[in-house]
Amino acid sequence: MLPLSSHPAHPPGECPLLQVQNLTKVYPSGTVALKDVSFDVDDREFLVVIGLSGSGKSTLLRCINRLIEPTSGRVLWDGQDITAAAPAELRSIRRQIGMVFQQFNLVRRSSVLTNVLSGRLGYANPWLSLIGLWPPTERERAMRALERVGIADKVNERADALSGGQQQRVGVARALMQEPRLLLADEPIASLDPVLAHSILQYLEQLNKKDGITVICSLHFLDLVHRYATRVIGLKDGIKVFEGLPQEIDRKRFKEVYGEEAQEVRAASLEAA
Amino acid sequence: MKPRTPPPLWRATKWIVLLVLLAAAYSLSWRVTQPDFLKLIVAAPKAKQIIGDFLHPDIIEREAEISLIEIPFPIPCGSTEVEAAPAPVRLRVEPACAEPRGIFRVSGSDLGPGSTVVMRWLLPSGGTLPIEQYPVDEEGAFSAEIQARPIAATKDGVPARLQAEVSVPLTRIHVSQAMRDVLNAIMVTIFMALLSTTLGTLIAAPLSFLAARNITRTSRLGSVVYYLVRSLLNITRSFEPLVIATIFALIVGYGTPFAGVLGLVITTAASLGKMFSEAVESIDPGPIEAITASGARRSQVVMYGVVPQIIPDFLSYIIYHWDINVRLSTIIGFVGGGGIGYYLSQRFNSFEYHKASTAILAIIVVVWALDFLSAQVRKRMA
Ligand SMILES: Nc1ncnc2c1ncn2[C@@H]1O[C@H](COP(=O)(O)OP(=O)(O)OP(=O)(O)O)[C@@H](O)[C@H]1O
Ligand SMILES: [Mg+2]
């Protein structure tokens, strides 16, 4: 077990897995989505990011793997500056960071297998993969990933023939193909009903505990935060307003992050439990 | 704040001015086109003839096997010696001679069911005198009473001969020459359309990615490329295919399919490029984001995240454009682009309306078939 403390300890001389330093994002429209956000993430943490809609959670997660270019600040991966990485370098870092999305982001018309294999493109032969040729070992890897999330029988279905919960499991399997050290999950359960939400989060928990994959996940519900997080960051209007252990977040603190809408969110979270 | 309403007088004036302008436009169009409905009525007989021609397209010729059977027939009896040669088995005359105006019976057998027999006199003078046409029954037999005409009387000891022309229709349908030419020309047209659609697609597909905001406009250089390609497509699209084909016909030769293909390729590339780029712009960005996040290269992102999303749209646009190109290439033929249009214009120029009708029929059938096909394919892909 990791020591539970609000300031993650790491062996001296070794840097944390991920360091976010003074990250700021200003969209061309002028919206300041992130303002001087800094925090560290250690290996094997399950870090949950909470915050109101529009508080900058998605922007934060996407700045980490540079799906969105930060305006200023740095993100260090194993001590290496992602924000300054050249394209080839960036790809090899991205390869180690899996991502799961609120809207699943599957290619709806493609088969489940193709969707899962597409998570392996960073490792694949650039030419063979272009014409859809995959070595048998990769197909087996895809099958194992699907077995892991319990939908190996759907391998040949079209992605849009699956239910929402099943689609998100394909999304997790796709991320698994990267053999990631870090998994970014942007509200992975917001499009699912409460029971499915728990099942998806349990997969993430399993990956975190069993496989030692570090997870950064944005969530909305307080009880889920208590249940799964090892550490919590709260965002409000792009500013980090809270960082600490899940136990430290009570209704009062939650209200600070969520403001007046806290009651509503809590009601929803009770329902989900 | 309430929006200010313009004074009623001004509004009324606006309407009146508009109406006057509209009336002027219509009266001008009338004067320019000079419709002459009287002529349409006066020319009715001419129209009847032309339309009659068009209603009988030159398509098939019935193939038939024709055999002639002849029997000498003395009139009056004994006017000449008829050799007791073995009478032809398939045709018998009873009695074997007759007095002038006498009645005798001709009967035939084994003539083949469904065939027809045309009987005629071969006169001693060398002329022929038609008698009548008789149908043959299901057993292949026929029988008829014929009057011995005085004009067929024996002359200088030479008897007239009765001739039966038996034509057995074959099941084979013989395609007429015009039909063969039309089929040839319409195949040229279809392949012209196919080739120009294919070439146009090959040019349009890569251009469309460059002209798609979401793919190209990710950097400054990309923006420049985006605007260049987009302007190129817009400018090219404003050229009429007919005009381009006419110019090419002047360059590479009048009546050559190549001229038509060149004209079509250019307009197809421009208009498909625009349609494709809109399809690319309307795709779901989610999968692109997800695949990019996995460390894939740009080419891989396009292949796995973009292509599967655009394939149905692309295919239906391509088929739609092939359809358009078939129609266009018939017209382009008129300006020297080859194919069925060229054939049609030639037939019009030489007043061969039966053949023109065949060509028009072929165009109708092909256009209809393509319409049906593209509707089916689009339904499949929805
Ligand atoms: N592409 C964009 N262009 C301009 N502004 C944007 C863009 N994306 C997000 N924003 C703005 O940035 C702010 C932060 O958005 P972000 O999506 O990061 O919030 P979020 O916490 O993920 O919200 P949600 O819970 O609704 O997903 C919002 O005000 C949003 O309107
Ligand atoms: Mg979000």
Side-chain angles (χ1 to χ4, degrees):
Chain A
M1 271 315 261
L2 282 160
L4 293 173
S5 92
S6 59
H7 297 286
H10 40 83
E14 246 183 67
C15 57
L17 182 67
L18 190 79
Q19 291 166 278
V20 175
Q21 299 175 343
N22 312 102
L23 199 63
T24 298
K25 173 64 187 178
V26 183
Y27 282 109
S29 59
T31 311
V32 182
L34 290 176
K35 207 168 171 186
D36 203 24
V37 174
S38 300
F39 60 92
D40 290 352
V41 186
D42 258 344
D43 217 3
R44 291 167 179 261
E45 275 195 277
F46 197 119
L47 177 73
V48 168
V49 181
I50 57 172
L52 267 177
S53 180
S55 59
K57 304 182 294 294
S58 301
T59 307
L60 173 61
L61 294 188
R62 281 168 174 74
C63 280
I64 289 174
N65 60 4
R66 268 177 65 192
L67 284 179
I68 292 176
E69 289 292 339
T71 309
S72 66
R74 298 201 305 170
V75 179
L76 302 185
W77 169 255
D78 243 350
Q80 189 185 3
D81 190 353
I82 298 182
T83 31
E89 226 178 321
L90 176 63
R91 282 202 304 272
S92 82
I93 295 171
R94 276 176 175 167
R95 203 164 79 165
Q96 305 170 57
I97 304 177
M99 194 158 187
V100 177
F101 303 84
Q102 175 178 353
Q103 299 300 337
F104 323 135
N105 286 3
L106 302 182
V107 181
R108 299 172 56 81
R109 300 184 59 88
S110 294
S111 71
V112 167
L113 179 66
T114 307
N115 269 292
V116 174
L117 281 172
S118 72
R120 194 69 184 170
L121 283 169
Y123 293 86
N125 178 309
W127 298 108
L128 292 183
S129 66
L130 274 192
I131 53 172
L133 277 182
W134 292 89
T137 49
E138 299 296 5
R139 289 169 184 276
E140 279 157 28
R141 190 190 303 277
M143 285 311 293
R144 280 202 304 277
L146 284 171
E147 275 160 21
R148 192 93 201 259
V149 293
I151 47 166
D153 56 321
K154 303 284 186 196
V155 60
N156 289 318
E157 304 259 338
R158 251 173 67 154
D160 55 5
L162 269 53
S163 71
Q166 291 169 333
Q167 289 192 32
Q168 191 56 296
R169 289 196 244 171
V170 175
V172 173
R174 175 176 62 189
L176 278 181
M177 290 297 279
Q178 296 175 233
E179 299 177 288
R181 289 179 66 194
L182 171 66
L183 189 66
L184 303 174
D186 186 15
E187 300 188 45
I189 53 161
S191 316
L192 303 173
D193 66 53
V195 180
L196 285 175
H198 265 295
S199 95
I200 293 292
L201 283 175
Q202 274 159 10
Y203 282 120
L204 297 191
E205 186 180 41
Q206 208 188 59
L207 296 179
N208 177 246
K209 295 241 164 79
K210 260 203 198 158
D211 302 48
I213 298 173
T214 308
V215 176
I216 303 179
C217 177
S218 58
L219 282 179
H220 257 122
F221 303 131
L222 184 56
D223 59 310
L224 293 180
V225 174
H226 281 147
R227 164 80 175 73
Y228 294 100
T230 61
R231 210 152 57 87
V232 181
I233 280 180
L235 287 181
K236 189 176 184 182
D237 297 330
I239 300 168
K240 188 179 84 179
V241 292
F242 176 84
E243 178 172 4
L245 297 174
Q247 299 91 303
E248 292 168 11
I249 264 213
D250 50 12
R251 285 181 73 167
K252 194 166 140 274
R253 277 309 204 41
F254 204 67
K255 199 161 183 169
E256 278 172 23
V257 176
Y258 277 98
E260 288 314 303
E261 285 163 68
Q263 291 313 115
E264 205 181 310
V265 174
R266 226 179 114 62
S269 76
L270 286 174
E271 225 173 89
Chain B
M1 218 169 63
K2 251 173 51 179
R4 248 167 12 114
T5 46
L9 183 70
W10 164 235
R11 267 191 300 172
T13 329
K14 222 165 56 175
W15 277 110
I16 289 166
V17 168
L18 202 70
L19 278 176
V20 168
L21 280 178
L22 220 65
Y26 279 120
S27 87
L28 254 176
S29 348
W30 181 271
R31 291 219 331 243
V32 168
T33 49
Q34 296 184 321
D36 189 351
F37 295 108
L38 197 64
K39 185 147 190 185
L40 209 54
I41 295 161
V42 171
K46 196 169 153 195
K48 205 175 142 196
Q49 199 233 316
I50 291 176
I51 288 170
D53 278 358
F54 275 114
L55 286 180
H56 294 94
D58 183 353
I59 298 176
I60 48 167
E61 290 156 0
R62 191 57 166 286
E63 238 174 274
E65 195 178 79
I66 290 170
S67 55
L68 298 172
I69 307 170
E70 286 172 23
I71 299 177
F73 193 82
I75 303 170
C77 279
S79 59
T80 185
E81 279 303 306
V82 178
E83 341 71 87
V89 231
R90 289 157 71 200
L91 195 70
R92 286 173 305 281
V93 194
E94 225 162 308
C97 61
E99 297 307 312
R101 294 187 211 288
I103 303 290
F104 61 95
R105 178 167 284 277
V106 182
S107 56
S109 59
D110 281 336
L111 298 174
S115 50
T116 49
V117 177
V118 176
M119 294 298 305
R120 59 177 78 96
W121 293 107
L122 300 179
L123 303 178
S125 56
T128 55
L129 183 68
I131 303 169
E132 224 184 300
Q133 179 174 327
Y134 306 99
V136 172
D137 69 16
E138 272 132 37
E139 274 87 48
F142 90 100
S143 166
E145 287 191 333
I146 293 174
Q147 192 187 44
R149 301 280 297 274
I151 197 179
T154 306
K155 205 171 177 184
D156 306 331
V158 181
R161 304 167 77 83
L162 267 173
Q163 187 187 56
E165 185 190 299
V166 185
S167 54
V168 185
L170 298 179
T171 37
R172 270 211 310 263
I173 288 174
H174 178 87
V175 176
S176 72
Q177 187 58 43
M179 185 63 184
R180 258 178 273 175
D181 291 344
V182 163
L183 284 179
N184 236 328
I186 198 116
M187 287 318 271
V188 168
T189 295
I190 291 174
F191 287 126
M192 263 169 75
L194 186 65
L195 189 67
S196 43
T197 312
T198 309
L199 292 178
T201 304
L202 290 179
I203 298 170
L207 285 185
S208 71
F209 282 90
L210 296 179
R213 202 180 297 269
N214 52 344
I215 301 289
T216 312
R217 284 187 69 184
T218 48
S219 64
R220 192 170 289 269
L221 176 70
S223 284
V224 174
V225 171
Y226 167 83
Y227 280 113
L228 276 180
V229 176
R230 195 137 266 240
S231 319
L232 177 78
L233 291 181
N234 281 335
I235 293 169
T236 318
R237 237 156 35 94
S238 62
F239 293 142
E240 270 298 309
L242 216 60
V243 178
I244 300 182
T246 315
I247 294 170
F248 276 119
L250 292 177
I251 296 169
V252 302
Y254 195 79
T256 51
F258 185 51
V261 168
L262 283 175
L264 286 177
V265 165
I266 289 174
T267 45
T268 303
S271 107
L272 275 185
K274 185 86 193 291
M275 289 164 96
F276 283 177
S277 70
E278 266 149 28
V280 172
E281 280 180 352
S282 69
I283 61 173
D284 175 9
I288 299 177
E289 192 177 39
I291 295 170
T292 306
S294 76
R297 289 154 191 276
R298 210 158 173 72
S299 56
Q300 293 171 319
V301 172
V302 168
M303 220 44 209
Y304 280 78
V306 180
V307 169
Q309 293 195 64
I310 55 176
I311 274 186
D313 275 352
F314 271 37
L315 278 185
S316 81
Y317 290 153
I318 291 169
I319 291 168
Y320 169 69
H321 234 279
W322 185 30
D323 199 356
I324 291 181
N325 280 349
V326 168
R327 289 163 201 253
L328 268 180
S329 56
T330 62
I331 298 172
I332 276 179
F334 267 93
V335 298
I340 192 78
Y342 188 63
Y343 177 88
L344 191 57
S345 72
Q346 299 291 300
R347 298 292 82 76
F348 273 133
N349 290 342
S350 52
F351 311 106
E352 294 170 282
Y353 298 133
H354 290 294
K355 292 179 179 173
S357 169
T358 315
I360 289 172
L361 211 67
I363 293 170
I364 292 172
V365 168
V366 166
V367 167
W368 177 83
L370 271 181
D371 252 1
F372 179 77
L373 204 82
S374 62
Q376 288 297 311
V377 173
R378 267 185 267 185
K379 218 192 292 171
R380 284 290 146 76
M381 278 181 319

